[in-house]
Amino acid sequence: MKKIGFLSFGHWANDRGSQVRSASDVLLQSIDLAVAAEQMGLDGAYFRVHHYARQLASPFPLLAAVGARTSSIEIGTGVIDMRYENPLYMVEDAGSADLIAGGRLQLGISRGSPEQVIDGWRHFGYQPAEGETPADMARRHTQVFLQMIEGEGFAQPNPRPMFPNPPGLLRLEPQSPGLRKRIWWGAGSNATAEWAAKLGMNLQSSTLKDDETGEAFHIQQAKQIRAYRAAWKEAGHSHAPRVSVSRSIFALMNDQDRMYFGNGSKDQDQIGIIDQTRSVFGRGYADEPDRLIDQLRQDEAIAEADTLLLTVPNMLGVDYNTHVLESLLTHVAPALGWR
């Protein structure tokens, strides 16, 4: 059995064929897709965060709105770029969204990917300390965030406050119990996966990672997951971690599916350069259900993970994406033992 969720990048464009023409469209349709996903029995609704782009950006209003409209589905991000975040303010936002959702938030964070502008985090008021890289700054913000959501008091109270204070040092509010165990790190390398394990974060591994061995993407990703679990065990945490992988998977059920995804253009891994690092981009899957099932059985990383996030073509609209998800749940997942 696996938990299965969708991952939306939240694109919008006022182009021919787009069902998502504005920021309003993408926000409201994201809520509607999460509601539809919960009704069909999907386990998670996850959203990507990008700045300076016609995509979903500030996640917490959307997460809170999805939490208010649903009752059981996990609600998450994959991922928030911590180079851009004030970790203390983020504690308050995350606590509020998690309380609205009744403790269903699964918050994926990371150092982020290349953005639309040069050093965009500088415009948000952040700058690496002397000797730091932007990735170092993201990890520093993350460690502060993790410490603050533990809920320990740290701030000296005003002796003449506007409202009465509880005794002792004050903490950030609101706090949401259990949220600390529902923080995930999006790791692009084996080393950052092991770092996340030591800090007690769950692991999100996407459709690209550093090309560390030259092997097929799914084999490298499976090795990353095993290294993460070994580091988790060595750290001695008291609870079991969770691991998710992302995939583009489409069951070709009708002519519309074949028109959109039947050309086989992404059925091989690709190599590229990200931040001057050689990276491997995992293949997508699109085929008739029987052949799709055989192909997915060979994916070692999916087999290793307990959670699968299905990337959706959100610009094709809620109805079509509901069809895509239902097709996989009905015609693919049971044969693979995921349901």
Side-chain angles (χ1 to χ4, degrees):
M1 299 290 287
K2 290 191 188 298
K3 287 186 178 293
I4 303 175
F6 73 79
L7 173 61
S8 172
F9 279 50
H11 296 278
W12 81 85
N14 190 19
D15 294 336
R16 183 172 177 267
S18 171
Q19 303 298 311
V20 188
R21 295 179 173 270
S22 68
S24 175
D25 285 346
V26 75
L27 288 164
L28 296 175
Q29 288 189 29
S30 294
I31 298 168
D32 290 343
L33 184 58
V35 171
E38 180 176 82
Q39 291 171 349
M40 76 175 74
L42 214 67
D43 301 298
Y46 286 73
F47 303 96
R48 185 67 165 91
V49 178
H50 278 117
H51 301 290
Y52 305 103
R54 292 185 176 184
Q55 295 175 241
L56 293 170
S58 57
F60 291 106
L62 174 59
L63 295 172
V66 173
R69 286 279 308 277
T70 58
S71 60
S72 62
I73 196 169
E74 292 181 344
I75 304 161
T77 51
V79 290
I80 297 173
D81 188 333
M82 293 301 289
R83 295 174 297 181
Y84 288 79
E85 294 297 321
N86 178 323
L88 275 67
Y89 194 69
M90 186 174 169
V91 168
E92 297 178 343
D93 278 346
S96 297
D98 195 40
L99 291 169
I100 290 171
R104 290 181 282 128
L105 200 63
Q106 303 286 339
L107 202 62
I109 62 178
S110 186
R111 57 148 266 183
S113 58
E115 292 289 318
Q116 300 297 105
V117 302
I118 297 171
D119 295 346
W121 30 267
R122 294 186 186 275
H123 301 294
F124 280 56
Y126 304 113
Q127 184 167 334
E130 186 174 353
E132 273 190 334
T133 66
D136 293 333
M137 178 177 66
R139 287 188 280 269
R140 172 167 53 84
H141 287 179
T142 295
Q143 289 176 292
V144 173
F145 172 71
L146 294 176
Q147 180 184 0
M148 292 296 103
I149 62 172
E150 293 281 7
E152 296 295 324
F154 67 96
Q156 189 68 38
N158 187 338
R160 297 181 179 83
M162 180 175 294
F163 307 105
N165 281 325
L169 298 176
L170 301 184
R171 66 183 188 178
L172 294 170
E173 302 288 358
Q175 289 283 327
S176 185
L179 179 57
R180 175 62 179 83
K181 292 183 178 180
R182 288 179 274 113
I183 306 301
W184 305 61
W185 182 260
S189 69
N190 289 9
T192 52
E194 291 168 0
W195 175 82
K198 291 173 184 176
L199 291 182
M201 290 186 282
N202 302 302
L203 176 64
Q204 285 185 341
S205 193
S206 71
T207 52
L208 69 91
K209 70 178 296 295
D210 293 356
D211 185 10
E212 299 182 71
T213 67
E215 296 170 289
F217 170 79
H218 73 100
I219 294 174
Q220 293 197 53
Q221 191 175 51
K223 289 182 175 180
Q224 180 194 47
I225 294 169
R226 294 179 197 123
Y228 164 82
R229 289 199 171 113
W232 183 281
K233 183 177 180 180
E234 183 179 350
H237 300 300
S238 61
H239 64 286
R242 287 181 60 185
V243 174
S244 74
V245 296
S246 304
R247 291 290 186 274
S248 296
I249 305 174
F250 300 96
L252 304 182
M253 306 299 299
N254 56 39
D255 288 342
Q256 187 178 32
D257 297 333
R258 296 181 189 95
M259 177 185 68
Y260 284 137
F261 303 109
N263 61 8
S265 61
K266 295 182 179 180
D267 61 0
Q268 299 292 329
D269 292 347
Q270 303 292 323
I271 299 296
I273 303 298
I274 301 291
D275 286 341
Q276 302 179 334
T277 299
R278 179 182 167 95
S279 301
V280 56
F281 297 77
R283 59 163 296 182
Y285 295 91
D287 214 327
E288 308 296 323
D290 289 347
R291 289 196 291 268
L292 190 59
I293 289 163
D294 289 339
Q295 294 164 22
L296 292 170
R297 282 200 178 104
Q298 308 306 313
D299 193 309
E300 292 186 16
I302 293 179
E304 287 282 347
D306 57 78
T307 301
L308 175 63
L309 300 183
L310 302 167
T311 58
V312 293
N314 77 281
M315 287 178 60
L316 297 180
V318 174
D319 289 344
Y320 183 73
N321 280 284
T322 298
H323 156 73
V324 166
L325 295 171
E326 283 182 331
S327 297
L328 291 169
L329 283 184
T330 303
H331 300 283
V332 176
L336 289 164
W338 300 348
R339 278 293 186 269

